[in-house]
Amino acid sequence: MIIGKGRFYLMDRILLTGGKLLDKSEGLLMAEKDILLSGGKIEKIAGQIRVEPDMKVMNLGGRIVSPGFIDIHTHVFPGSHLGVEPDSIGVPFGVTTICDAGTAGPENIEEFIENYIKPSKTRIFSEMHFSRKGLFIKPEADDPSKWDLDLAEEAYRKHKDYIVAIKARASNSTVGKLGIGPIKEAKKLAVRCGLPLYIHIGNPLPYIEEILAVMEKGDMITHSFHGKINGLLENGKIKPEVQAARDRGVFFDVGHGVASFNFNTARAAFSLGVIPDIVSTDLHIKNINGPVFSLPLTMDKMLALGISLEDCVEKVTAAPAAIFSMKGLGKLKEGYTADITVFHMEEGNYEYHDADGNDLIGHTSIHPDCAIVGGVVEMLKF
């Protein structure tokens, strides 16, 4: 049976044929191989798989096949001042997994799970905020009464299948006069839960040097390439504290956002060897209609800045899955979960905008054609 345009199936066995497999972590660099999906898993990858009567065949017509795209920085808990509907930014754009970056805290994480994570077509994890109500209060960490580490640890233990990191925002607008104090508290929680600490950086206080001093191997900074003070660079050089953090295994994420990605900062940092470990959007209600729009468009900006397609795809698949211990995700590998993104590239002259009004011209663009989540075809355009 051939799957046609506009038809969606919950099926046992799907044969993807005629595609070019792209997964640098598995050594697949446009490999012309078939993939058989069965029972929500990748059953087999081979040069040519014989069609059997119970298979549903998708002829990909030379399109690129990658592990399902993962966007680790979004805000998808509607009702908060930033939240958008999860499926408005996920599977329609070829993104099979998204992480909500701290919109929910320990007091409302259960509501988020039941009302949004479980019903969504897009797979969702939480980077739970250490503050009681996450981003449902503003500012969320300027007073010790706004967090309770015992309560937060209890929430994690109860919902650990959905929580991949602990989130905190380290900027003057969120911590007020407490400076680095709340970030140290968030780190205590991350250690207690055995999770990475995921930190938003912005205007001081605290300073990035203080923030990085708290962070250990496996922790991650987001908004790494903003154009504000308190960044990675000083006098055109990488700050020693930034290099030391990279050397000990701290990760650096794009987290584009409405005010947190600058082409000039990125270009300078990239030229000095500080390349993002992860590409993410920080999509929310204030930037979904620009300048961010989607994960594929954010990836296009990375391509225009000189990151190769295979590296860019790895930064939204294998890398985030490994860093946040998303078991069975992020690879085109037999036995892994059947989360797949199919896309094609188009050439042209594309004008991109960062968060500070700077422009950039790119010449290649990623266009998602299909999203498969756990073996279910959730989006199909061909």
Side-chain angles (χ1 to χ4, degrees), residues 318-333:
I323 292 168
F324 284 159
S325 299
M326 298 175 182
K327 294 181 180 179
L329 300 181
K331 290 178 179 284
L332 296 179
K333 186 174 182 177

Side-chain angles (χ1 to χ4, degrees), residues 11-12 14 55 60-61 84 100 103 125 133-134 143 172 196 198 207 211 224 235 264 273 284 296 298 333 341 366 374:
M11 56 187 64
D12 290 328
I14 305 174
M55 292 179 183
L60 304 182
V84 298
D100 179 88
T103 316
F125 293 104
K133 295 184 182 294
D143 188 300
N172 180 262
Y198 187 51
Y207 289 102
I211 299 164
S224 303
N235 298 321
N264 298 322
H284 54 70
T298 303
K333 186 174 182 177
T341 299
I366 296 168

